[in-house]
Amino acid sequence: MLMLVDCSKCRTTLQLPPGAQSIRCAICQAITHIADPRSGPAPSPPPSSSSSSSYQPGHVPPSAVAPSPYNHAPPGQPPHAQGRKRALIVGVSYRHTNHELKGCINDARCMKYMLTNRFKFPESSIVMLTEEDPDPLKRPTKYNMRMALYWLIQGCQPGDSLLFHFSGHGSQQRNYNGEEVDGYDETLCPVDFETQGMIVDDEINTTLVRPLPRGARLHAIIDACHSGTVLDLPFLCRMDRQGKYIWEDHRPRSGMWKGTSGGEAISFSGCDDNQTSADTSALSKITSTGAMTYSFIQAIERGHGATYGSMLNSMRSTIRNTDSGSELSGAGGLEPQLTANEPFDVYTKPFSL
């Protein structure tokens, strides 16, 4: 199992060779020593919690279960997730910082409401991370996001439907192994990214995409800047304004397979890798939302969710038809994107969560 670790100095995500106990960062040359993944302390849950979710990364004696695949994972295996539908919703507002966003917690609430009411996701099978949650384990820190991503995929079986929604900042960093077409890795920014670093697309792919078994389905809805290929899925649907499309091959030149283990993975993202997304009140006219999350929910509510093609066209139309003088006019030609584990006909494949 591939292990990803953060450089102890510059926080760049590094791929640790099997069996290695230390690794030198190619960027800052610092040496990071690796501890046994089962030996690190994990945050203890509060004495009582009002949450109904089964997600509780509390301490389990390491001798009782197999080690976790990540050195940042808490000792032992997370509890078994409930139900055949499971969702992780992350809304990061970066309150009281220079990076503050207004609509991300609104996005998280709206997504949870839609999943429980329209798509019948059990509330007990939804984990939501936001800064407004008093539970320290439910704040969108890098540690908690990593644990929740692992919770989402663990125990996944054929027939399961998984969903990952993120609303917050996205960014890029130089890729030095030649596996990115544009030379950059895409990243998601936890609330503590300035001190703990960002979550890189390689890690998201390794955690969520590659273990997905045949017969299981994963949808990602990523409302962030530079998010076009943030799951590192092999194929990107390049669609023009008339709705004509081709599938671009984004498989690494090294030949490394970054698809699933037979399952189906599809991602809607807020914009292309070289674009910035938008946090705006121009769409709802009432409150701030992420442009992509709003347009995604509106496509479903307006009955445009029959196929993936109709979804993508509806989302783009909602954003494009916003008043040209609005806050979106400077959003870098904002165009939601679609990536997938394998190409398909977007106008015949039914959309379903």
Side-chain angles (χ1 to χ4, degrees), residues 222-245:
I222 310 297
D223 198 342
C225 297
H226 311 293
S227 56
T229 63
V230 76
L231 264 68
D232 260 0
L233 291 169
F235 298 96
L236 183 144
C237 179
R238 186 68 68 189
M239 181 180 285
D240 65 20
R241 293 200 169 198
Q242 287 70 49
K244 296 179 181 178
Y245 72 92

Side-chain angles (χ1 to χ4, degrees), residues 332-351:
L334 180 62
E335 293 281 6
Q337 302 292 323
L338 180 72
T339 56
N341 180 62
E342 58 183 20
F344 56 86
D345 185 342
V346 299
Y347 291 116
T348 60
K349 185 176 180 64
F351 169 76

Side-chain angles (χ1 to χ4, degrees), residues 291-303:
M292 187 270 180
T293 302
Y294 180 88
S295 65
F296 180 86
I297 293 174
Q298 284 297 300
I300 293 170
E301 294 299 324
R302 293 171 179 171

Side-chain angles (χ1 to χ4, degrees), residues 9-283:
K9 183 177 180 182
C10 71
R11 315 303 300 179
T12 297
T13 300
L14 309 172
Q15 295 184 3
L16 184 70
Q21 296 301 308
S22 64
I23 186 170
R24 182 185 295 275
C25 178
I27 298 175
C28 71
Q29 301 303 311
I31 295 177
T32 301
H33 295 280
I34 312 303
D36 187 317
R38 293 166 292 175
S39 64
S44 298
S48 62
S49 173
S50 59
S51 170
S52 60
S53 170
S54 63
Y55 169 70
Q56 282 294 341
H59 182 82
V60 178
S63 60
V65 290
S68 166
Y70 288 105
N71 67 316
H72 285 273
Q77 191 174 25
H80 180 67
Q82 299 178 20
R84 307 296 283 183
K85 290 189 173 186
R86 215 176 310 162
L88 168 61
I89 300 172
V90 182
V92 196
S93 64
Y94 314 93
R95 287 177 177 170
H96 311 302
T97 74
N98 293 332
H99 313 290
E100 186 165 358
L101 295 171
K102 302 296 185 184
C104 297
I105 293 179
N106 287 335
D107 290 344
R109 291 171 179 161
C110 291
M111 186 61 65
K112 182 176 182 180
Y113 181 87
M114 183 188 72
L115 291 180
T116 55
N117 287 276
R118 180 171 285 273
F119 292 101
K120 307 307 178 186
F121 276 64
E123 189 165 353
S124 59
S125 290
I126 297 175
V127 167
M128 190 159 79
L129 306 182
T130 67
E131 289 120 303
E132 68 176 7
D133 198 310
D135 185 342
L137 297 177
K138 299 296 181 65
R139 290 177 54 79
T141 63
K142 184 176 183 178
Y143 182 93
N144 288 343
M145 281 183 61
R146 279 176 155 173
M147 296 306 94
L149 286 168
Y150 181 53
W151 168 87
L152 184 62
I153 192 67
Q154 71 91 22
C156 182
Q157 300 293 325
D160 287 355
S161 176
L162 313 181
L163 183 135
F164 171 42
H165 172 249
F166 176 87
S167 180
H169 282 304
S171 188
Q172 292 180 305
Q173 63 185 39
R174 288 291 306 181
N175 171 268
Y176 291 93
N177 60 15
E179 292 190 349
E180 292 283 349
V181 173
D182 61 359
Y184 287 90
D185 284 313
E186 283 63 54
T187 63
L188 299 181
C189 299
V191 68
D192 55 355
F193 76 95
E194 291 185 296
T195 58
Q196 299 303 311
M198 298 176 283
I199 297 179
V200 183
D201 52 10
D202 294 330
E203 179 175 352
I204 300 170
N205 181 273
T206 300
T207 306
L208 279 188
V209 175
R210 288 164 65 182
L212 196 71
R214 185 174 302 278
R217 185 169 65 237
L218 166 70
H219 284 92
I221 298 119
I222 310 297
D223 198 342
C225 297
H226 311 293
S227 56
T229 63
V230 76
L231 264 68
D232 260 0
L233 291 169
F235 298 96
L236 183 144
C237 179
R238 186 68 68 189
M239 181 180 285
D240 65 20
R241 293 200 169 198
Q242 287 70 49
K244 296 179 181 178
Y245 72 92
I246 59 170
W247 285 96
E248 288 183 355
D249 191 337
H250 282 249
R251 286 175 291 185
R253 284 171 286 184
S254 66
M256 176 185 291
W257 175 241
K258 305 202 82 171
T260 70
S261 296
E264 181 177 62
I266 298 173
S267 175
F268 288 95
S269 53
C271 57
D272 211 342
D273 286 341
N274 63 350
Q275 294 177 330
T276 55
S277 195
D279 184 57
T280 179
S281 59
L283 291 166

